[in-house]
Amino acid sequence: MAQLSGDCFAFGGSVLSIDDAVKLLGERLDIVEGGETIALASADGRILARPITAPLALPPFTNSAVDGYALRGEDLPVDREASFAVTDWVQAGAAAAAPAAAGKAIRIFTGAPMPEGADTVFMQEDARAEGGKVTLPSGLRRGANVRPVGEDVAAGQVVLDAGHRLRPQDVAMLAALGLTEVRVRRRLRVAVFSTGNEIVSPGESRAPMQLFDANRFMLIAMLGRLGCDVGDLGILRDDPDATAAVLEHASAHHDLILTSGGVSTGEADYVKQAVEKVGTLVFWRMAIKPGRPVAMGVIGGTPFIGLPGNPVASFITFAYVARPAILALSGSPLPRLPALPVRAAFSYKKKPGRREYVRVSLRKAEDGTLEATKFPREGAGMLSSLVETDGLVELHEQVTGVAPGQNVPFLSYTSLF
Ligand code: AMP
Ligand code: MG
């Protein structure tokens, strides 16, 4: 379990900016201990426990980048084309029978090792082969179409850092280096609860004034993408004592507790009270829209994050508060979220002093530029606003509005988890 004491979150009742919150999470949450050694085939998405040092160079031997004819550099035709006798034939996976001889060409194929002495390959498209001879053009640079040993990776080089989340291309690198297993951090165990007397699970009977639980399934899906082991702990009724008991129990078996709903300032928002009963709570009113309130605390040494109940607010605060916490606990650096500039096709008024996220769709304008259109309705409970859009325009604290034609930073949903 991550060990954490309550006083490290002693931020009183102040409203935190996202940047301060994320900085604090990074500084104060300790990496969860424990790892496992797993087969390469199941390594995608896992976090490296140790850096990977290349045990061999890539490519491991100098080879031809094309199908063609290999020559010694000193024999390259300079002013006009020249003909050469073809003396050998090297396929990928085979070795040349003999070193390249002066004034001779060797037929060679992509990936085949360069014969000793040869350093340049002519593409077969540029060659005319006839009866054991080949005519090659002048002007080719010495060393052309050859992949030198180690040009991709040098032996002994660190190719991946500890804390890196493996992607398919990283797994390919490990395989190319001949590794069969990899040491990764163990998956974080995250407990997820929904809260509210009005919430029922899909499949249960729903009274007319009740809602099916959207958040728990959304959070479980997002946690799954972050490689967490999720404990689905169902729905907590609006009852502070029962909530306190369940949270305390969950804290003993998880690295993080995540809830949604019940953290506003209404009388029926009991999660705050419950956390205070069994742990320490610092009510993080964050300067984020949609989002606040987001609660953070510690129960028995286990961090607790209470996301807002409205699904859109829950989604956005997951991405900007829960995810950084999960990355900190996994010892993984925060990815540089690539906010790409797109042209706004909407106007928007904003209060300074808080960060706002606008749900937008992208389209190609007539001049070919990517343009963001704003979802027409703004409610923080409106799931269609997430389903029907492509991502978020991030408006920083000092921004006071957006005018059509202005460049705005866009984050695709796929970059958020
Ligand atoms: P709360 O933060 O508990 O006051 O909830 C804010 C709004 O979000 C209310 O309209 C709730 O009904 C709604 N809500 C809370 N939890 C969920 C959930 N798990 N799924 C869908 N809507 C929810
Ligand atoms: Mg509620």
Side-chain angles (χ1 to χ4, degrees), residues 27-367:
E27 285 167 5
R28 306 295 171 84
L29 292 177
D30 286 336
I31 301 173
V32 165
E33 279 174 20
E36 54 183 323
T37 301
I38 58 166
L40 219 50
S42 50
D44 183 41
R46 300 300 300 269
I47 294 170
L48 282 178
R50 303 181 188 138
I52 302 288
T53 304
L56 72 140
L58 291 180
F61 54 93
T62 300
N63 66 91
S64 177
V66 297
D67 292 336
Y69 296 86
L71 233 60
R72 295 163 8 122
E74 44 276 55
D75 294 338
L76 297 187
V78 180
D79 301 321
R80 60 186 123 92
E81 62 176 33
S83 290
F84 300 85
V86 180
T87 56
D88 199 0
W89 209 80
V90 205
Q91 242 180 313
K104 309 282 195 227
I106 293 174
R107 181 75 169 116
I108 195 166
F109 297 91
T110 307
M114 286 299 285
E116 201 186 315
D119 60 13
T120 306
V121 181
F122 286 78
M123 290 172 70
Q124 64 186 26
E125 290 82 346
D126 298 333
R128 276 195 331 272
E130 229 183 331
K133 292 192 105 186
V134 66
T135 305
L136 301 172
S138 62
L140 191 64
R141 174 185 56 83
R142 190 171 187 169
N145 301 318
V146 170
R147 303 189 281 216
V149 58
E151 77 163 353
D152 186 6
V153 172
Q157 180 188 328
V158 173
V159 286
L160 293 165
D161 292 324
H164 181 73
R165 180 183 302 283
L166 294 170
R167 305 163 297 169
Q169 59 268 45
D170 305 319
V171 177
M173 174 65 82
L174 300 179
L177 293 172
L179 303 175
T180 56
E181 293 181 324
V182 62
R183 185 83 189 156
V184 295
R185 301 231 163 95
R186 76 163 168 81
R187 292 183 188 277
L188 286 191
R189 291 190 279 265
V190 183
V192 180
F193 296 96
S194 290
T195 66
N197 291 345
E198 80 281 29
I199 307 298
V200 294
S201 280
E204 287 175 4
S205 67
R206 184 188 65 83
M209 70 299 289
Q210 289 187 306
L211 295 175
F212 287 123
D213 186 353
N215 291 349
R216 193 156 41 98
F217 294 90
M218 175 175 75
L219 296 175
I220 289 171
M222 296 198 284
L223 288 164
R225 290 197 180 193
L226 291 179
C228 300
D229 256 345
V230 185
D232 177 356
L233 298 186
I235 302 165
L236 293 169
R237 298 297 144 211
D238 288 320
D239 170 342
D241 293 334
T243 300
V246 174
L247 291 181
E248 188 168 37
H249 185 257
S251 73
H253 308 286
H254 295 90
D255 303 305
L256 173 68
I257 301 173
L258 201 56
T259 64
S260 71
V263 289
S264 309
T265 43
E267 269 96 273
D269 290 319
Y270 292 119
V271 174
K272 185 180 174 228
Q273 241 173 285
V275 174
E276 270 169 339
K277 193 170 169 205
V278 287
T280 314
L281 184 118
V282 174
F283 199 38
W284 273 13
R285 287 173 301 146
M286 289 195 40
I288 172 174
K289 187 191 168 190
R292 73 180 202 157
V294 183
M296 269 227 61
V298 189
I299 303 169
T302 300
F304 160 86
I305 298 179
L307 302 176
N310 277 309
V312 177
S314 224
F315 181 89
I316 289 174
T317 51
F318 178 90
Y320 291 99
V321 184
R323 186 174 82 130
I326 288 164
L327 294 176
L329 291 169
S330 349
S332 203
L334 249 192
R336 291 157 283 131
L337 289 184
L340 301 173
V342 299
R343 191 166 69 199
F346 62 91
S347 57
Y348 187 77
K349 270 203 178 134
K350 176 182 166 296
K351 273 194 195 153
R354 70 180 180 204
R355 183 125 4 138
E356 294 197 13
Y357 293 94
V358 185
R359 289 148 269 169
V360 299
S361 301
L362 292 186
R363 66 176 184 208
K364 218 170 198 173
E366 269 175 22
D367 64 0

Side-chain angles (χ1 to χ4, degrees), residues 311-312 359 361 375 377 379 381-389 413:
V312 177
R359 289 148 269 169
S361 301
F375 191 76
R377 288 160 291 147
M382 206 119 37
L383 271 172
S384 58
S385 69
L386 292 176
V387 169
E388 294 173 24
T389 53
Y413 291 138

